[in-house]
Amino acid sequence: DTAVSQTPKYLVTQMGNDKSIKCEQNLGHDTMYWYKQDSKKFLKIMFSYNNKELIINETVPNRFSPKSPDKAHLNLHINSLELGDSAVYFCASSQSSWTGGKMDYGYTFGSGTRLTVV
Amino acid sequence: GENVEQHPSTLSVQEGDSAVIKCTYSDSASNYFPWYKQELGKRPQLIIDIRSNVGEKKDQRIAVTLNKTAKHFSLHITETQPEDSAVYFCAAIPSNAGGTSYGKLTFGQGTILTVHP
C-alpha cells in the first residue's frame, strides 16, 4: 500500500502545453510538498501546504500553480511548459508537529514524475 | 534562509572500506538533520536522522554525528557494500521562536557514493 503516490510516473510533452501532476498520501500527514530535482540531482523545494494552506512558495515561475483540495492531496499544474522545466518532480509529506517539545518530522517522498519537455 | 553545503560531491571506495560525507549548515536555529539515500531512478529515502540535543546516533553500519557549535554534521558508513552505492543527501530544518517551520527541508547538493566490489 503506497504511502505517497504520484501520477504520472513519466510525462513527455511539447513546449507550450499545459500539464498536471497529482499526488496523494495516506499517512495522515498534515503537510505536503513539491520538490524539483534537476539533472545535477539537486533537490529544491517549490511549494508546501499545511492543512490545505499554502505556507511555502519559493521563487517559482507563476506558470506553476499548486492546488490542495484536502490535506491528503496536492496537485501541481504547469502552464506553457518550457524546455527548462524538464526535471524529476517529487511530492513529499510529513507531520510537522511538536510532540513533547520535540519536532517530529519524517519526510516520505513519492516515486517521482519524470517530466520531459520537447 | 538556510544554506547547506555537502562534501564531497563524489566518493569512490572499495567494498569493506568506510565512507564519510560531511555537511555544514548556516542557520543556528536548525535543529533536525536527516540523511536521505537515493538509488538510481528511485525516490529519496530517509536512512537516519539526528536532532540537535544529540551528538551522535548509530544504526547498524551507519552513524551520524553533529557538532552544533561548528554547525556541521557527518554521515559515516562502515564496512561498505556495493548496495550502498547511491546518492546521499544531508538536510537541515530551522525553526522559528515559536518552534514551527513546517518542515522546510533544505538539502545539500548530494554525494554520489560508488562502492567497488
Side-chain angles (χ1 to χ4, degrees), chain A residues 89-102:
Chain A
Y89 292 84
F90 283 100
C91 175
S93 72
S94 72
Q95 183 64 28
S96 306
S97 59
W98 286 101
T99 305
K102 297 179 183 178

Side-chain angles (χ1 to χ4, degrees), chain A residues 31-101:
Chain A
T31 308
M32 296 184 73
Y33 314 82
W34 280 111
Y35 274 80
K36 180 180 180 181
Q37 186 171 46
D38 60 25
S39 58
K40 295 183 179 179
K41 303 294 185 185
F42 188 61
L43 278 162
K44 185 164 169 52
I45 192 167
M46 300 173 69
F47 301 104
S48 175
Y49 273 75
N50 176 267
N51 284 318
K52 301 192 298 178
E53 182 184 347
L54 180 66
I55 52 170
I56 295 173
N57 185 350
E58 294 294 290
T59 308
V60 176
N62 56 17
R63 298 181 295 104
F64 290 79
S65 53
K67 278 195 172 54
S68 181
D70 55 62
K71 72 173 190 177
H73 295 84
L74 179 61
N75 304 322
L76 183 64
H77 187 76
I78 316 170
N79 289 327
S80 303
L81 278 156
E82 300 177 357
L83 292 176
D85 297 332
S86 295
V88 180
Y89 292 84
F90 283 100
C91 175
S93 72
S94 72
Q95 183 64 28
S96 306
S97 59
W98 286 101
T99 305

